[in-house]
Amino acid sequence: MKKNVIIVLIDGGRLDFATKSDTFQKLTSNMIHFTQSITYAPYTTAAMHAVLTGCYGNRTGVNSYWNIFKFKNKQFLTLADYLSKNNYYTYADGHTELIIPKFGFREFNVHDEQKINLIDWHSELLDNMKKKYDDGQNFFLYLHYSKIHTGISNEVLKVFNNFSREYFDSNDLNLERYSKLFNNAEIYLDSIMNKIKKLNLLENSIILILSDHGISIGEKFGECAYGTFCYDYTMKTFAYLYNSDTKPQIISSQVRHIDFMPTILDMLNIEIDSSFEKLDGESLIPLIKGENHTEKFAFSETGNPLNNNAPPKIPNTKSIRSAKWKLIHNEYNDTKELYDLVNDPNEENNLIGKNSEIEKEFSKELLKYTDN
Ligand SMILES: [Zn+2]
């Protein structure tokens, strides 16, 4: 039998909180820890479509909140498509139908994010999947931890907007609010990992724990939560990958969300179907094995709503980054920003016009995605 696949998505989990967390630190003892995994989009829908297709949304069609149903399923396969073709039982659980592509999922359950106890519910789902496995069927289980999102939605998005002065003047409160929500995510993750171990699913499963995007705690005026800008407090996320055949290690090179789907398929020896569109992502196995690997650019984009109540239909803010540099193009007013991420990780010192070599190279790279 092949290995099962379990994805645990910590919606809105911040990288800096995970780095400081004992619960997350514990994962590094037996997992591959990616310390900078770049999201395609700083909001769930576009981010998760990219994770589960290995392709950027500018090609799959899902590049904005408005285009959730424009996924080109005749041209692109999802991870669930591949796994169900390989006789996996595919099950997704999340707080809305809109977060991930439903294609390829045999069951897609929507939980009530305000009421559900996700530790109990996801443990029950793991029990059910274990029974399938004991009966000789592989499974792919997608678990969406929605509670950080729910808390931010209730306490920030419904109360403030991107230009609420009182929000940006309340750093301590913002930090406290987020810390509480993150702490609950830690308790959840701890319980779920214990459950997986107790069911003896570790040896025979590939497990990916990741965040779709971070959430602002008031860093930049104009973005009270996420989805507006392309700064690292939302774009740079965490990822932990478990496979008993692969030795635990820390990978500090930049990787991209779109690389995980081809990596999982590679681990399972499932070939990419060449009758569909080519993937943007690449298997990280060579990087994990320490073979020659050149860092790839990471492309991201989002729709800044500016003064409107809803984001625009197509993205108006794009970025291209390496581990060292990031170029942002604000298409709505045709301005650019360039950041030295090593010396200025908070992206406070815009170097546009001051480093023409990097600016030229990154502008040229970004054009490859805007011309599509
Ligand atoms: Zn999200």
Side-chain angles (χ1 to χ4, degrees):
M1 270 173 89
K2 286 194 186 292
K3 290 199 174 201
N4 307 302
V5 177
I6 303 171
I7 293 183
V8 181
L9 193 272
I10 307 294
D11 191 335
R14 281 179 64 115
L15 173 66
D16 53 350
F17 277 67
T19 309
K20 282 181 289 185
S21 152
D22 289 341
T23 304
F24 281 83
Q25 204 52 44
K26 251 194 323 200
L27 299 174
T28 59
S29 68
N30 64 357
M31 297 181 104
I32 304 163
H33 177 201
F34 297 94
T35 61
Q36 44 179 342
S37 163
I38 311 302
T39 186
Y40 157 66
Y43 56 97
T44 310
T45 302
M48 290 317 295
H49 275 74
V51 170
L52 295 172
T53 59
C55 291
Y56 292 128
N58 65 323
R59 290 177 60 230
T60 65
V62 185
N63 62 351
S64 91
Y65 280 112
W66 301 92
N67 294 338
I68 292 164
F69 299 113
K70 299 235 172 105
F71 178 63
K72 297 173 184 164
N73 67 308
K74 300 254 171 1
Q75 289 151 263
F76 296 90
L77 289 175
T78 67
L79 179 60
D81 282 326
Y82 275 104
L83 297 179
S84 68
K85 281 184 186 181
N86 280 272
N87 297 319
Y88 279 64
Y89 194 89
T90 51
Y91 190 111
D93 180 70
H95 59 289
T96 105
E97 290 194 336
L98 312 177
I99 39 172
I100 62 170
K102 287 172 87 175
F103 301 95
F105 281 107
R106 174 101 156 250
E107 285 190 71
F108 195 108
N109 180 68
V110 175
H111 62 242
D112 180 342
E113 58 178 310
Q114 306 288 348
K115 292 188 189 142
I116 189 109
N117 177 329
L118 282 174
I119 294 177
D120 292 350
W121 173 230
H122 286 173
S123 297
E124 196 180 317
L125 290 178
L126 282 162
D127 281 329
N128 295 345
M129 292 304 126
K130 167 74 167 147
K131 277 181 210 137
K132 303 249 180 238
Y133 183 67
D134 288 343
D135 288 342
Q137 182 166 34
N138 277 121
F139 66 84
F140 167 34
L141 180 62
Y142 173 85
L143 300 175
H144 197 107
Y145 180 78
S146 53
K147 296 283 184 176
I148 297 177
H149 151 89
T150 311
I152 293 296
S153 172
N154 290 342
E155 296 168 46
V156 177
L157 294 171
K158 288 176 187 165
V159 183
F160 305 104
N161 66 39
N162 285 335
F163 306 101
S164 300
R165 266 281 159 217
E166 47 173 328
Y167 176 81
F168 294 93
D169 288 342
S170 316
N171 281 344
D172 291 350
L173 262 177
N174 297 344
L175 185 65
E176 194 188 319
R177 180 191 306 110
Y178 187 84
S179 302
K180 257 188 223 158
L181 294 169
F182 193 86
N183 185 239
N184 287 334
E186 291 175 296
I187 296 166
Y188 163 84
L189 188 60
D190 221 18
S191 312
I192 292 302
M193 287 313 291
N194 284 335
K195 181 74 186 177
I196 290 173
K197 270 177 227 153
K198 222 159 78 191
L199 290 173
N200 288 323
L201 286 172
L202 267 190
E203 284 308 296
N204 42 42
S205 304
I206 292 169
I207 303 169
L208 174 65
I209 298 166
L210 80 168
S211 147
D212 49 353
H213 55 83
I215 287 179
S216 157
I217 44 177
E219 281 91 344
K220 302 258 188 192
F221 187 71
E223 180 173 60
C224 69
Y226 56 88
T228 303
F229 296 142
C230 285
Y231 296 122
D232 270 7
Y233 57 83
T234 64
M235 309 308 291
K236 207 162 119 180
T237 70
F238 56 79
Y240 301 81
L241 183 62
Y242 178 84
N243 180 346
S244 60
D245 302 338
T246 313
K247 80 170 193 308
Q249 56 189 291
I250 295 174
I251 294 200
S252 49
S253 314
Q254 166 176 292
V255 302
R256 306 159 305 173
H257 265 166
I258 50 166
D259 296 324
F260 291 117
M261 183 249 209
T263 304
I264 292 171
L265 291 181
D266 198 1
M267 284 177 164
L268 294 169
N269 291 318
I270 296 177
E271 271 190 44
I272 304 290
D273 188 337
S274 58
S275 58
F276 286 79
E277 290 281 337
K278 218 174 146 279
L279 302 192
D280 291 314
E282 286 177 10
S283 170
L284 298 170
I285 300 289
L287 176 64
I288 292 166
K289 284 189 176 158
E291 291 164 6
N292 246 347
H293 172 91
T294 43
E295 184 192 77
K296 304 293 183 312
F297 283 102
F299 166 65
S300 308
E301 59 184 345
T302 192
N304 185 338
L306 302 167
N307 288 308
N308 304 306
N309 289 328
K313 303 237 152 135
I314 53 165
N316 60 10
T317 306
K318 303 183 179 182
S319 76
I320 192 90
R321 91 199 283 293
S322 65
K324 291 189 177 137
W325 293 94
K326 185 196 286 179
L327 179 86
I328 299 173
H329 186 197
N330 304 302
E331 289 184 345
Y332 53 87
N333 64 3
D334 200 23
T335 57
K336 284 183 178 174
E337 298 164 53
L338 181 70
Y339 296 104
D340 174 347
L341 299 172
V342 176
N343 297 305
D344 178 26
N346 296 333
E347 298 161 279
E348 283 162 345
N349 188 15
N350 181 3
L351 296 173
I352 206 76
K354 289 181 184 154
N355 189 331
S356 56
E357 278 306 305
I358 296 285
E359 202 179 308
K360 226 190 285 170
E361 183 195 351
F362 279 56
S363 293
K364 200 173 141 205
E365 188 63 31
L366 188 56
L367 265 186
K368 290 183 189 167
Y369 301 93
T370 22
D371 280 346
N372 254 319

